[in-house]
């Protein structure tokens, strides 16, 4: 099933980006000016894939607010507003609501309620089925409520354990057409060995960061610097656009994190 996206939402990184949450402090703090340049390139890649991009202003009080994907999950039938797990990010979903209301009617917007937590980085759509990471950021109650909203729209969902990385999609992404990239712990995940995945590429450990990429219309956007992942995508027949993500990697961010797409 080919992608058919027309819109994307991004948010400019704020100056407090250097204070973003990270599990990789050894990579150092981001260079803010370089992060701005990389964000510009990311927006250009989205536009090059044929979508209209809404660029929201920076939220200076929220270091991680550039990672808009964690504020909600957009499906073909509506949007579920998330509850991020960390206190410093909790308000980001609320602050996205005015923008969502510009594009979605009230009956298309669902909202999780406490004690649920769920972040969009843990959600991977495969046709009409959703894989949801059970991670440090998404709990069982978040999954239960989210799956209930999906069921109202005719979709199904299942949980996938996430033990060693931040989000489900940190460990791999579905680029449609039956093609799946997996890395690390997900190479052995039973859920990823089913018939809907015709081709599963096990990403080499040294290129694990490249496993998170996004298919938009006739392009796949991925992080620059991961030649074996890029070669596999091109072998599958995709037109690949690369974006330098060095500064976002330092604070656990990746390609899918930086936008909401529909």
């Amino acid at each position: 099933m080919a992608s058919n996206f027309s819109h994307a939402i991004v948010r400019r990184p704020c100056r407090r980006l250097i204070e973003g949450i990270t599990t990789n402090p050894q990579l150092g703090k981001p260079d803010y000016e370089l992060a701005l340049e990389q964000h510009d390139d990311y927006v250009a890649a989205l536009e090059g894939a044929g979508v209209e991009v809404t660029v929201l202003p920076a939220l200076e009080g929220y270091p991680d607010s550039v990672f808009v994907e964690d504020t909600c999950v957009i499906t073909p039938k509506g949007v579920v507003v998330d509850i991020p797990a960390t206190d410093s990010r909790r308000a980001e979903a609320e602050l996205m609501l005015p923008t969502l209301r510009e594009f979605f009617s009230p009956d298309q917007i669902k909202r999780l309620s406490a004690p649920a937590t769920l972040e969009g980085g843990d959600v991977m759509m495969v046709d009409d089925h959703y894989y949801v990471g059970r991670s440090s950021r998404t709990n069982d109650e978040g999954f239960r409520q989210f799956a209930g909203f999906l069921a109202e729209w005719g979709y199904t969902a299942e949980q996938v354990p996430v033990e060693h990385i931040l989000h489900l999609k940190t460990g791999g992404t579905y680029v449609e057409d039956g093609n799946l990239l997996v890395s690390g712990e997900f190479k052995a995940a039973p859920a990823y060995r089913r018939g809907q995945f015709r081709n599963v590429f096990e990403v080499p450990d040294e290129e694990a960061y490249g496993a998170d990429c996004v298919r938009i219309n006739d392009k796949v956007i991925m992080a620059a610097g991961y030649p074996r992942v890029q070669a596999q995508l091109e072998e599958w027949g995709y037109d690949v656009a690369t974006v330098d993500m060095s500064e976002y990697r330092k604070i656990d961010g990746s390609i899918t994190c930086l936008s909401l797409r529909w």
Side-chain angles (χ1 to χ4, degrees):
M1 184 174 73
S3 302
N4 186 23
F5 293 109
S6 59
H7 292 84
I9 297 171
V10 303
R11 186 180 292 282
R12 294 294 279 167
C14 69
R15 291 189 175 276
R16 288 185 62 198
L17 181 81
I18 62 171
E19 302 170 23
I21 301 167
T22 183
T23 59
N24 292 291
Q26 73 279 4
L27 296 177
K29 291 187 177 295
D31 179 303
Y32 176 67
E33 296 300 328
L34 183 53
L36 282 177
E37 292 177 16
Q38 292 177 354
H39 198 261
D40 287 338
D41 292 342
Y42 181 81
V43 171
L46 292 173
E47 292 173 339
V51 298
E52 180 179 338
V53 183
T54 298
V55 182
L56 301 178
L59 286 175
E60 291 301 337
Y62 299 90
D64 295 283
S65 55
V66 68
F67 302 127
V68 292
E69 187 183 48
D70 292 326
T71 65
C72 64
V73 177
I74 297 177
T75 80
K77 294 185 179 178
V79 55
V80 178
V81 180
D82 297 342
I83 300 179
T86 53
D87 290 343
S88 64
R89 302 199 64 190
R90 198 63 55 87
E92 291 176 30
E94 292 290 324
L95 292 167
M96 184 59 70
L97 266 171
T99 302
L100 295 175
R101 289 173 177 144
E102 294 177 16
F103 296 100
F104 299 94
S105 61
D107 63 316
Q108 290 180 301
I109 299 176
K110 310 291 186 182
R111 301 182 67 179
L112 298 177
S113 57
T117 63
L118 184 138
E119 295 183 0
D122 275 322
V123 178
M124 183 174 76
M125 180 179 73
V126 179
D127 301 329
D128 290 337
H129 187 65
Y130 287 73
Y131 292 87
V132 182
R134 188 186 188 282
S135 71
S136 62
R137 302 296 183 87
T138 297
N139 63 18
D140 289 335
E141 180 61 17
F143 172 77
R144 187 191 70 78
Q145 292 182 27
F146 179 64
F149 292 138
L150 291 179
E152 293 178 26
W153 291 327
Y155 302 129
T156 54
E158 69 180 282
Q159 283 183 300
V160 177
V162 178
E163 297 179 5
H164 304 297
I165 55 176
L166 182 65
H167 285 136
L168 180 78
K169 287 196 296 247
T170 308
T173 44
Y174 182 60
V175 290
E176 304 190 24
D177 308 312
N179 298 322
L180 178 71
L181 301 171
V182 295
S183 68
E185 63 189 270
F186 297 119
K187 293 179 181 179
Y192 289 170
R193 297 295 173 177
R194 299 198 190 126
Q196 73 262 51
F197 301 119
R198 293 186 296 106
N199 301 301
V200 178
F201 178 64
E202 296 187 358
V203 175
D205 290 347
E206 64 271 18
E207 292 198 14
Y209 183 75
D212 182 297
C213 59
V214 63
R215 165 85 180 273
I216 300 179
N217 301 324
D218 62 349
K219 290 187 181 292
V220 173
I221 302 172
M222 66 169 290
Y226 302 92
R228 293 179 68 181
V229 176
Q230 182 171 350
Q232 181 60 65
L233 291 168
E234 291 171 345
E235 184 178 318
W236 281 338
Y238 298 121
D239 182 7
V240 177
T242 62
V243 179
D244 189 351
M245 291 286 291
S246 64
E247 303 315 291
Y248 298 98
R249 185 183 182 188
K250 294 174 182 177
I251 49 172
D252 296 341
S254 48
I255 286 287
T256 58
C257 303
L258 288 172
S259 62
L260 294 164
R261 308 158 298 273
W262 74 99

